[in-house]
Amino acid sequence: MTPKPFIGAHVSIRGGYGQAARSARESGAACFQYFPKNPRSLKLKPVDYRDAGSCADYCREQGMVSIAHTPYPTNLAADPSGRAVMAASLRNDLEIAEACGSVGIVVHFGHFAGMEPLQGYQNIIQCMNDTLADWNGQTKLLIENMAGNHGHEGMTLEELVKVRELSRYPEKIGFCFDTCHAFAAGTWNPQQTEAFIRRGENLGYWANLDAVHLNDSRYPFGSRRDRHAAIGKGCIGASALSQLLKMEPLADKVIVMETEKGPDGTHRAEIAAVRTWFEAGDD
């Protein structure tokens, strides 16, 4: 029998972290993703331990799990003049996510914005080191692979594995694999999924995978365009996504959709559809 993953979607925290968990559960989700603070700002947010504790307690009671997503302006590769701001924001996200009982905070690999690649990689490693230096929580920093729409960096599994390996605190760092990004980057060819899985195993990537962003793609393989499509409605398709998720390294992970909500304002239909992939063939 194929292990069943946690399947869910991104939800709003407009009503608080506890309400976000309840809303996710009401849509049939077993997991969810949320922004710990304003997604368009790096301004620090005081931790509301009562609300966050409500989220953590509810998730424990319901057998749910969660991940947080860092704000859009976050850039691990920022130059030294901006690194302190980035590290402080990331630390704030970790503290909120830890209080909510979340597995990790997802952060984009980082974009170099014209700087020399070696400097960019060094900046990423130093920013992670500064963020995690005295972090003793259970919540991890989860590096997300990139689609290539902002540059070449972060498109390959090799890069993600290497920056984690070169950091001072690899045990505090995991990965979040985005299906749309990998397809758009040309990293994952659905016609060669088994070979792709073997490559990730040889690199040690899957051993440190904690979460998956399940997104179809509006644009073709290798387009380097990051535009999500509804599951099974894009260029990847339900069959290829199903095959990938059923591979052993991904089959029991936190799987979160970042697609548009359905007519009812939730991801209920998509969650139910993805669940059927794992029910088919069960004993």
Side-chain angles (χ1 to χ4, degrees), residues 87-107:
S89 177
L90 286 164
R91 186 58 180 263
N92 184 218
D93 296 336
L94 281 168
E95 291 166 351
I96 293 171
E98 177 83 2
C100 288
S102 302
V103 172
I105 62 167
V106 179
V107 60

Side-chain angles (χ1 to χ4, degrees), residues 55-69:
C55 174
D57 290 344
Y58 184 79
C59 287
R60 278 193 295 269
E61 292 166 4
Q62 300 297 324
M64 297 177 70
V65 292
S66 66
I67 55 175
H69 197 300

Side-chain angles (χ1 to χ4, degrees), residues 137-199:
Q138 297 299 307
T139 301
K140 291 183 179 180
L141 195 66
L142 305 181
I143 313 172
E144 181 176 356
N145 57 300
M146 306 304 289
N149 52 314
H150 292 299
H152 292 281
E153 57 270 17
M155 295 168 61
T156 68
L157 302 187
E158 286 83 355
E159 290 170 275
L160 280 74
V161 169
K162 184 55 69 174
V163 295
R164 177 183 180 273
E165 178 184 300
L166 293 176
S167 72
R168 291 197 194 113
Y169 312 100
E171 72 282 358
K172 302 178 185 181
I173 300 169
F175 302 122
C176 176
F177 178 75
D178 190 298
T179 57
C180 174
H181 292 182
F183 179 78
T187 301
W188 166 48
N189 183 342
Q191 296 180 2
Q192 301 171 1
T193 292
E194 291 187 2
F196 175 64
I197 292 295
R198 286 196 298 272
R199 182 156 62 88

Side-chain angles (χ1 to χ4, degrees), residues 37-282:
K37 55 179 182 275
N38 184 342
R40 293 175 176 79
S41 172
L42 298 179
K43 182 179 179 181
L44 304 188
K45 179 179 180 180
V47 183
D48 185 337
Y49 287 100
R50 181 174 180 179
D51 183 24
S54 170
C55 174
D57 290 344
Y58 184 79
C59 287
R60 278 193 295 269
E61 292 166 4
Q62 300 297 324
M64 297 177 70
V65 292
S66 66
I67 55 175
H69 197 300
T70 58
Y72 297 125
T74 307
N75 181 14
L76 290 176
D79 61 37
S81 66
R83 186 178 299 145
V85 172
M86 292 297 168
S89 177
L90 286 164
R91 186 58 180 263
N92 184 218
D93 296 336
L94 281 168
E95 291 166 351
I96 293 171
E98 177 83 2
C100 288
S102 302
V103 172
I105 62 167
V106 179
V107 60
H108 292 166
F109 184 83
H111 50 90
F112 296 168
M115 72 179 68
E116 288 295 321
L118 180 58
Q119 185 62 58
Y121 293 127
Q122 290 175 335
N123 288 352
I124 289 173
I125 294 165
Q126 190 58 54
C127 186
M128 294 194 300
N129 288 344
D130 290 354
T131 299
L132 299 170
D134 56 352
W135 175 247
N136 297 311
Q138 297 299 307
T139 301
K140 291 183 179 180
L141 195 66
L142 305 181
I143 313 172
E144 181 176 356
N145 57 300
M146 306 304 289
N149 52 314
H150 292 299
H152 292 281
E153 57 270 17
M155 295 168 61
T156 68
L157 302 187
E158 286 83 355
E159 290 170 275
L160 280 74
V161 169
K162 184 55 69 174
V163 295
R164 177 183 180 273
E165 178 184 300
L166 293 176
S167 72
R168 291 197 194 113
Y169 312 100
E171 72 282 358
K172 302 178 185 181
I173 300 169
F175 302 122
C176 176
F177 178 75
D178 190 298
T179 57
C180 174
H181 292 182
F183 179 78
T187 301
W188 166 48
N189 183 342
Q191 296 180 2
Q192 301 171 1
T193 292
E194 291 187 2
F196 175 64
I197 292 295
R198 286 196 298 272
R199 182 156 62 88
E201 287 176 340
N202 292 337
L203 290 168
Y205 177 83
W206 304 120
N208 295 290
L209 182 74
D210 288 283
V212 176
H213 280 169
L214 175 61
N215 301 304
D216 212 322
S217 176
R218 293 188 187 180
Y219 294 101
F221 174 75
S223 64
R224 293 179 60 174
R225 301 186 70 176
D226 180 16
R227 291 293 183 273
H228 300 172
I231 305 304
K233 305 295 184 182
C235 294
I236 304 175
S239 178
L241 289 168
S242 174
Q243 180 194 14
L244 179 68
L245 293 191
K246 288 181 179 180
M247 300 301 283
E248 186 177 349
L250 290 82
D252 60 350
K253 303 303 180 185
V254 177
I255 297 176
V256 172
M257 286 172 264
E258 298 177 306
T259 53
E260 293 182 5
K261 295 177 181 177
D264 66 348
T266 76
H267 288 83
R268 182 185 303 277
E270 280 189 312
I271 291 169
V274 173
R275 275 222 177 103
T276 65
W277 300 350
F278 296 90
E279 292 167 358
D282 276 358

